[in-house]
Amino acid sequence: MLSEKMYQLGSRSSIIREIFEYGRKRKAEIGVENVYDFSLGNPNVPAPEAVKKAMIALLEEESPTALHSYTSAPGNPEVRCTIAESINRRFDMKLEGKNIYMTTGAAASISICFKALANEGDEFITFAPFFPEYTCFVEAAGGKLIVVPANIEDFQINFDEFDQLINEKTKAIIVNSPNNPSGAVYSEATIQKLVARLEEKSAEYGHPIFLISDEPYREIVYDDIFVPYLPKYYNNTFVCYSYSKSLSLPGDRIGYIVVPDEMIEFPKVFAAIAGSARALSYVCAPSFFQKVVAKCVEETADISIYENNRNVLYNALKEIGYECVKPEGAFYLFPRSLEPDAYAFCEKAKKYDLLLVPGDDFGCPGHIRISYCVKPEQIERSLPAFKKLFDEYQ
Ligand code: PLP
């Protein structure tokens, strides 16, 4: 009667959601301040004041019909131009409005790309640790997700393993930097190495291998680290961007896809993006918030709060004795679990009301994800619990 695949997908919640729901109940029992919930990647830093100002100005300046009507399928033309100009200023690109497709966030953007590209049997490669939703997005598009095991030394790309997995069926590579869950930012050297492989393999197989850059955390980086803008390195790149994290607007669902002119057969590829968005009914992203973000293209939420959280938590965990690669961006720490079974470790952590997420679903067993987009007080209060948990293993 039903699609068994969709039933399975809908009836099993993700481990992150399960832990979050457990946390909700536990907070009702013992008080919010006594549960150290590091499960969800929901920004806790408020949207910048500019967002509120933009909303008020739009409500006052524009007629309700103009503000709330459908936009063109790929988005409001002026908004697309404003975003293109901002990208050009920041990354020295030459985009126009026609290179931008407005969406309801990064998840929609990457789903649209997968569906625009996938034919039966096509493979999409990603690098562990990776955002677990890629699996269902790629499968829904009819493709197969291939995961390159993690390089747990620094969470850059594991090229030896990648070389074993790329093949004629590879349609695209999806990268996420700054990364959820490791916080790693791919260096320029990593990107250059990846691009050289893609050029070489595209020529060898006689078809392009596309690059999809999933970058909702682009602005959330620390210590002035450089985040390469991938279309500058590789023509066949889609950039999937979102304002969910940079402007702390995850509930308002706005993002976009960049399809540069240099993309092979640009008109055909852009038409496939439009067709995919249509098939998924992701056309006409919400009109009001398209206009809001256009007024805030160069704003970000206060990143210094995340940076401070990272410093406090990373330094404290290292001092206690946890092993962890220092994250350079996003708002996650990804330390090693203190036993090989990260699920068992996260169960033990619950004894101290520490809610952590096992790395297995991110394709990286033996690690745990700590989402530190929380109030700084929660981090301070949680440190004794991390210490007690560590001591239990000594
Ligand atoms: N990609 C990654 C790596 C993410 O971490 C997230 C959200 O947490 C998304 C995509 C989805 O972003 P959005 O809320 O803009 O759809």
Side-chain angles (χ1 to χ4, degrees), residues 41 104-108 110 131 134 176 180 214 216-217 242 244-245 250 253 332:
T104 50
I110 51 189
F131 183 53
Y134 292 164
N176 167 225
N180 171 9
D214 176 22
Y217 302 97
S242 163
S244 295
K245 319 285 176 173
R253 322 292 305 147
Y332 308 101

Side-chain angles (χ1 to χ4, degrees), residues 117-139:
L117 296 175
N119 288 309
E120 206 54 44
D122 281 347
E123 296 184 353
F124 292 75
I125 295 185
T126 196
F127 304 97
F130 69 99
F131 183 53
E133 297 300 279
Y134 292 164
T135 310
C136 69
F137 296 165
V138 167
E139 286 176 4

Side-chain angles (χ1 to χ4, degrees), residues 264-385:
I264 187 169
E265 298 193 80
F266 167 81
K268 261 183 102 168
V269 172
F270 197 88
I273 289 289
S276 168
R278 183 178 169 194
L280 292 165
S281 60
Y282 285 159
V283 294
C284 311
S287 166
F288 182 42
F289 266 86
Q290 286 192 46
K291 291 188 175 171
V292 171
V293 299
K295 282 184 177 285
C296 304
V297 278
E298 252 130 271
E299 298 281 341
T300 52
D302 184 357
I303 307 304
S304 70
I305 300 177
Y306 297 133
E307 183 162 18
N308 186 52
N309 281 358
R310 177 202 65 162
N311 292 342
V312 172
L313 193 56
Y314 173 79
N315 292 337
L317 293 190
K318 288 293 278 187
E319 183 150 342
I320 291 169
Y322 287 91
E323 274 181 70
C324 186
V325 175
K326 189 171 189 180
E328 295 168 316
F331 36 55
Y332 308 101
L333 277 180
F334 201 56
R336 289 205 195 170
S337 158
L338 297 176
E339 60 181 297
D341 181 349
Y343 283 95
F345 179 74
C346 291
E347 275 305 308
K348 279 206 186 109
K350 279 188 190 163
K351 269 204 307 200
Y352 305 99
D353 289 304
L354 271 176
L355 305 187
L356 315 173
V357 179
D360 300 59
D361 282 20
F362 300 94
C364 196
H367 289 73
I368 46 162
R369 189 186 78 168
I370 304 176
S371 262
Y372 60 78
C373 47
V374 297
K375 291 208 172 84
E377 303 84 79
Q378 175 178 325
I379 293 186
E380 290 292 351
R381 278 201 316 271
S382 71
L383 298 180

Side-chain angles (χ1 to χ4, degrees), residues 83-119:
I83 290 174
E85 283 160 13
S86 160
I87 295 171
N88 295 346
R89 266 194 304 278
R90 287 180 296 149
F91 309 116
D92 187 29
M93 293 285 296
K94 292 196 171 54
L95 302 177
E96 294 172 38
K98 69 176 169 57
N99 301 108
I100 308 287
Y101 197 102
M102 298 303 296
T103 66
T104 50
S109 302
I110 51 189
S111 293
I112 290 171
C113 291
F114 291 148
K115 197 167 180 66
L117 296 175
N119 288 309

